[in-house]
Amino acid sequence: MALALFVTPTSSSSCVLSRNPTPNFKTTHLNFASPRRIHDSNPLHRSFQFLQSSSQHLNASPFSTSAVTSSSSSQTTELALQRLVKEFKSLTEPIDRLKWVLRYASLLPPMPDSSRTESNRVMGCTARVWLDAELGQDGKMRFWADSDSDVSKGMCSCLIQLLDSATPEEVMELKTEDLVELNVGLLGGERSRVNTWHNVLVSMQKKTRRLVAEKEGKAPTFEPFPSLLLTSDGIQAKGTFAEAQAKYLFPEESRVQELVKVLKEKRIGVSAHFYMDPEVQGVLTAAQKHWPHIYISDSLIMADAAVKMAKAGCQYITVLGVDFMSENVRAILDQAGFGEVGVYRMSDETIGCSLADAASAPAYLNYLEAASLSPPSLHVVYINTSLETKAFAHELVPTITCTSSNVVQTILQAFAQMPELNVWYGPDSYMGANIVKLFQQMTLMTDEEIANIHPKHNLASIKSLLPRLHYFQEGTCIVHHLFGHEVVERIKYMYCDAFLTAHLEVPGEMFSLAMEAKKRDMGVVGSTQNILDFIKKKVQEAVDRDVDDHLQFVLGTESGMVTSIVAVIRSLLGSSANSKVKVEVVFPVSSDSMSKTSSPEGPSSVRVGDVVLPVVPGVAGGEGCSIHGGCASCPYMKMNSLNSLLKVCQNLPDVENVIGGFKAERFKRQTPQGKLIADVGCEPILHMRHFQANKELPKELLDHVLSR
């Protein structure tokens, strides 16, 4: 463990080891050019001299106990950590702490070449770091590490001093928060070195967990999740579900040209959501190279993309998504003055959404009625709801639309402009709970840290708003609901050191896991676009480093995202002809998701309330993704097929009303106050657009709230 030692001269050539209290560094700055001066004034320097000489007599076996720690193995990890923290806190200058880490690096015993393998790489570090471990017969852990960076090597040395010869329980009890005061590497605001502490510790704990389980014969029978492995040379699918996803990444050119031909001839634009079936996305992605009026995005961008395409001369917009998306596109085109542009869905049946359905239920109306009785109130409604819901809600309680990427800032801005406000969020229960948890975490921050999130807030204002922030508790997305306990346990056991991505709609356990990863720059929580941007950033950083690297991303959202993710990754890897980077995209799969088709003729069906939906065809082995989720594949989104898109396009203009049921009609019904649903339902969306453009809520909305 980390002991501060000094050498006491005796009559013989031997050395006496003594425990030394916190070293005195009142006037000392580490200067490698003046070793004698440091030696004379710094007792800790002499301890390193002794340890350095001792390290030369290590057992020749690469898996012997490190001399750095053997003399102090009886210490508890807590005491060792306290001593290590005192060492670094005694050095007031960041550059001195950094130099101290470099001295620790010189004491790290060599790691055998056989341990410098890809499976022992520590993910998330700027430099290459390797870590190996062994559970000894005495029940104590042994660790070995190496890095091509002396700074990272020194950090590994510090952690090995803490945890080598510790019990597995001691290893698992150490938290990343315990390492906060070892603030090495903050020069110029750089966080990558600080994250090395955290990432190496997570890898130590992952290896410890596995070794203990294997020794006790209790190793979980977890199979790896399916995944896609991308390199500059191509794509490798691992698992049958991944094989099914990969199958459509390279579509037949004849299918692509068939679609492009009809889109060009009839000037048809395509606005598609990220969650489309991989077959559809594969063809659309390839078609984008030949026809610019194809957009694949999250729900926020879809209507904006439709307006752009209308301005560019498109006469029709085909919407590949659920019904509230086509409603929004129709309404926003009308608001922008493009009422003559036709909007078409991909089915003559209802393409539903579990969240939109929850907001249309009587329970949500009751929730809003309660909000109307507690003025001043603002209803923050998720964009994944129908235009009718937005209209009816806006007449009950002043309403603004939000997305998963702007919901936190929307709520903070609302409280900043109206401090006595009550905010009512809905309908996604998981997102609501996660937002509350996020604000609760902010109460542990300093005023400065909170101001970095929103300049108008501090600790007092965050504590003040929490009791007045409400969320609906009876609405979930059937896709993100799958990321529950079973999936989280498998991620903890097998992928805790990977990059974790999570949509804000996931259950709290997955949210907490991804937020913990986010603290060490190994995760992201947010919208589909946030997830895509995070993956792009991490891959770009790895490519720029130009070293062999293996990045692993756990995809905590709908599996349809993979097409856009793969396209971005392939583009980045292709930009470097000799790229050594490997990128693996992992699909978490719940056991609830794996349904066998009932017969060779077709898939089985499942019932959700009064609705019967088919199992979405999944992999070649006959498995499918059920309505219960599991493989994060939305059955509603999969109603948007390539055949449906071709059918709609080929029948435009629809002179004989062949595809009349596919048309997104305008709302002609009225609200209880006698206004058109289309007009009132657009107001919350326009309020959101004002907020996005001006970073403040519009005066019209403020007046509406305060007048009630």
Side-chain angles (χ1 to χ4, degrees):
M1 302 299 175
L3 268 177
L5 308 172
F6 65 89
V7 182
T8 304
T10 64
S11 57
S12 68
S13 60
S14 63
C15 296
V16 178
L17 303 183
S18 297
R19 295 173 187 251
N20 183 32
T22 306
N24 181 359
F25 294 114
K26 290 182 180 178
T27 60
T28 301
H29 290 276
L30 299 183
N31 185 340
F32 293 115
S34 308
R36 181 175 298 278
R37 181 171 62 82
I38 297 174
H39 178 276
D40 293 339
S41 62
N42 192 334
L44 194 57
H45 172 80
R46 285 174 284 175
S47 76
F48 274 109
Q49 271 199 327
F50 174 79
L51 292 175
Q52 203 159 19
S53 63
S54 300
S55 67
Q56 297 172 1
H57 303 289
L58 290 176
N59 188 302
S61 167
F63 293 107
S64 62
T65 304
S66 169
V68 177
T69 61
S70 60
S71 63
S72 55
S73 60
S74 60
Q75 275 193 303
T76 65
T77 304
E78 183 177 357
L79 288 175
L81 178 61
Q82 290 174 3
R83 292 180 182 275
L84 190 62
V85 167
K86 284 181 180 179
E87 289 179 16
F88 283 96
K89 290 184 73 173
S90 298
L91 296 164
T92 57
E93 296 297 325
I95 187 63
D96 289 345
R97 289 194 291 272
L98 194 57
K99 288 179 178 179
W100 203 247
V101 168
L102 295 176
R103 286 204 169 261
Y104 270 92
S106 68
L107 304 176
L108 191 65
M111 187 181 202
D113 290 340
S114 60
S115 292
R116 292 168 63 97
T117 62
E118 187 174 290
S119 62
N120 284 333
R121 282 286 297 275
V122 178
M123 285 193 229
C125 300
T126 301
R128 291 186 296 175
V129 179
W130 294 266
L131 177 77
D132 204 354
E134 179 183 78
L135 179 57
Q137 293 297 319
D138 58 356
K140 303 291 182 66
M141 293 300 303
R142 306 286 186 268
F143 294 102
W144 301 268
D146 198 6
S147 174
D148 54 13
S149 159
D150 286 340
V151 174
S152 298
K153 189 181 294 186
M155 292 178 169
C156 291
S157 181
C158 291
L159 286 170
I160 286 178
Q161 286 213 42
L162 289 178
L163 298 176
D164 194 85
S165 298
T167 65
E169 291 78 12
E170 289 175 318
V171 175
M172 299 307 298
E173 285 172 1
L174 190 63
K175 307 297 182 187
T176 55
E177 291 83 356
D178 299 330
L179 307 175
V180 168
E181 292 185 278
L182 304 178
N183 55 340
V184 178
L186 290 177
L187 296 172
E190 181 187 352
R191 289 202 53 83
S192 58
R193 288 172 178 162
V194 177
N195 293 330
T196 298
W197 296 114
H198 301 170
N199 296 333
V200 173
L201 174 59
V202 168
S203 292
M204 285 177 150
Q205 292 173 335
K206 177 181 179 180
K207 289 181 179 292
T208 299
R209 189 184 297 113
R210 285 191 177 184
L211 288 168
V212 170
E214 289 171 4
K215 183 176 181 179
E216 296 177 350
K218 299 178 181 178
T221 57
F222 292 148
E223 292 292 328
F225 287 136
S227 65
L228 290 176
L229 182 64
L230 292 87
T231 67
S232 58
D233 295 328
I235 299 176
Q236 176 187 351
K238 299 181 180 181
T240 50
F241 178 74
E243 289 172 4
Q245 300 291 313
K247 176 182 177 182
Y248 298 111
L249 293 174
F250 306 98
E252 295 179 11
E253 185 61 23
S254 60
R255 298 287 274 172
V256 176
Q257 291 302 324
E258 180 184 9
L259 178 62
V260 169
K261 183 175 183 292
V262 69
L263 293 178
K264 286 183 175 181
E265 285 179 356
K266 302 184 179 182
R267 301 202 61 79
I268 301 171
V270 179
S271 185
H273 195 272
F274 279 132
Y275 293 171
M276 286 300 95
D277 183 272
E279 179 185 16
V280 179
Q281 285 210 53
V283 172
L284 289 178
T285 302
Q288 283 176 320
K289 301 174 184 177
H290 308 284
W291 180 242
H293 306 304
I294 298 174
Y295 288 82
I296 304 172
S297 66
D298 60 15
S299 52
L300 173 64
I301 306 299
M302 291 176 71
D304 291 338
V307 173
K308 287 181 181 178
M309 290 184 283
K311 288 180 178 178
C314 288
Q315 298 177 8
Y316 308 97
I317 304 295
T318 52
V319 179
L320 282 74
V322 295
D323 283 346
F324 77 78
M325 297 174 183
S326 56
E327 291 174 6
N328 288 345
V329 168
R330 174 70 278 164
I332 295 301
L333 281 173
D334 288 344
Q335 289 282 338
F338 293 101
E340 76 284 357
V341 174
V343 177
Y344 286 84
R345 309 178 307 121
M346 294 299 105
S347 176
D348 56 1
E349 299 179 4
T350 299
I351 307 177
C353 168
S354 58
L355 280 179
D357 293 344
S360 301
Y364 200 73
L365 181 62
N366 295 336
Y367 172 71
L368 293 177
E369 287 176 343
S372 69
L373 299 176
S374 304
S377 285
L378 175 67
H379 175 218
V380 179
V381 66
Y382 196 23
I383 196 169
N384 293 13
T385 49
S386 70
L387 207 62
E388 189 173 42
T389 292
K390 295 180 180 75
F392 287 178
H394 195 38
E395 289 196 339
L396 269 176
V397 186
T399 298
I400 183 171
T401 304
C402 73
T403 70
S404 50
S405 60
N406 66 21
V407 59
V408 172
Q409 289 297 323
T410 300
I411 292 173
L412 288 174
Q413 184 60 31
F415 278 116
Q417 291 184 246
M418 296 175 284
E420 302 304 317
L421 186 66
N422 289 287
V423 168
W424 305 75
Y425 167 80
D428 192 301
S429 303
Y430 288 141
M431 188 184 292
N434 292 340
I435 293 167
V436 170
K437 187 178 295 185
L438 186 63
F439 288 152
Q440 288 171 341
Q441 291 177 359
M442 288 177 67
T443 63
L444 304 176
M445 297 179 178
T446 64
D447 285 346
E448 183 179 359
E449 289 171 331
I450 293 171
N452 287 334
I453 297 173
H454 194 288
K456 299 296 184 182
H457 281 282
N458 53 34
L459 180 59
S461 67
I462 297 299
K463 288 182 176 180
S464 173
L465 69 82
L466 272 168
R468 291 176 284 111
L469 174 59
H470 314 271
Y471 67 92
F472 185 61
Q473 301 190 25
E474 299 179 44
T476 58
C477 167
I478 58 174
V479 172
H480 293 108
H481 176 67
L482 78 95
F483 294 98
H485 180 72
E486 178 200 343
V487 168
V488 169
E489 286 302 304
R490 290 177 68 180
I491 292 174
K492 284 181 179 178
Y493 185 78
M494 302 185 72
Y495 303 97
C496 62
D497 56 347
F499 293 100
L500 302 183
T501 72
H503 198 280
L504 201 53
E505 296 176 23
V506 298
E509 202 172 359
M510 180 68 178
F511 170 81
S512 297
L513 197 64
M515 284 297 292
E516 181 63 33
K518 185 175 185 292
K519 290 179 184 177
R520 50 192 174 91
D521 200 29
M522 288 290 290
V524 62
V525 178
S527 67
T528 48
Q529 189 62 52
N530 295 147
I531 291 172
L532 186 62
D533 291 343
F534 174 80
I535 293 174
K536 181 178 181 180
K537 175 176 176 285
K538 291 300 176 185
V539 174
Q540 183 66 67
E541 290 173 353
V543 170
D544 291 343
R545 287 195 294 269
D546 194 27
V547 296
D548 62 306
D549 212 343
H550 183 167
L551 310 184
Q552 196 175 52
F553 295 93
V554 177
L555 186 60
T557 188
E558 220 272 0
S559 60
M561 274 291 293
V562 71
T563 308
S564 296
I565 291 172
V566 167
V568 166
I569 294 173
R570 289 183 65 204
S571 174
L572 293 174
L573 297 183
S575 65
S576 177
N578 299 314
S579 176
K580 306 170 186 175
V581 178
K582 299 177 182 178
V583 183
E584 188 173 7
V585 181
V586 178
F587 305 94
V589 180
S590 164
S591 59
D592 289 340
S593 75
M594 304 319 294
S595 304
K596 295 290 183 179
T597 54
S598 58
S599 68
E601 288 76 25
S604 60
S605 298
V606 291
R607 178 176 293 276
V608 182
D610 296 329
V611 180
V612 176
L613 290 169
V615 172
V616 178
V619 295
E623 296 167 338
C625 303
S626 74
I627 192 69
H628 302 297
C631 60
S633 188
C634 176
Y636 298 109
M637 286 289 189
K638 300 312 180 270
M639 294 173 68
N640 296 268
S641 68
L642 182 59
N643 287 337
S644 294
L645 176 58
L646 288 169
K647 176 181 178 179
V648 169
C649 293
Q650 289 164 355
N651 281 282
L652 289 174
D654 189 22
V655 179
E656 299 180 3
N657 199 32
V658 174
I659 53 172
F662 291 70
K663 191 171 185 179
E665 297 288 356
R666 294 177 178 83
F667 276 96
K668 298 178 181 178
R669 297 193 303 279
Q670 296 182 334
T671 66
Q673 294 183 11
K675 300 178 181 178
L676 286 176
I677 286 176
D679 293 338
V680 181
C682 272
E683 288 183 20
I685 300 174
L686 297 176
H687 290 330
M688 178 185 69
R689 292 179 183 279
H690 182 280
F691 167 65
Q692 288 181 294
N694 301 283
K695 306 306 178 186
E696 62 178 20
L697 272 57
K699 183 178 183 302
E700 177 187 352
L701 179 59
L702 299 182
D703 292 343
H704 191 184
V705 171
L706 298 176
S707 67
R708 298 170 70 93

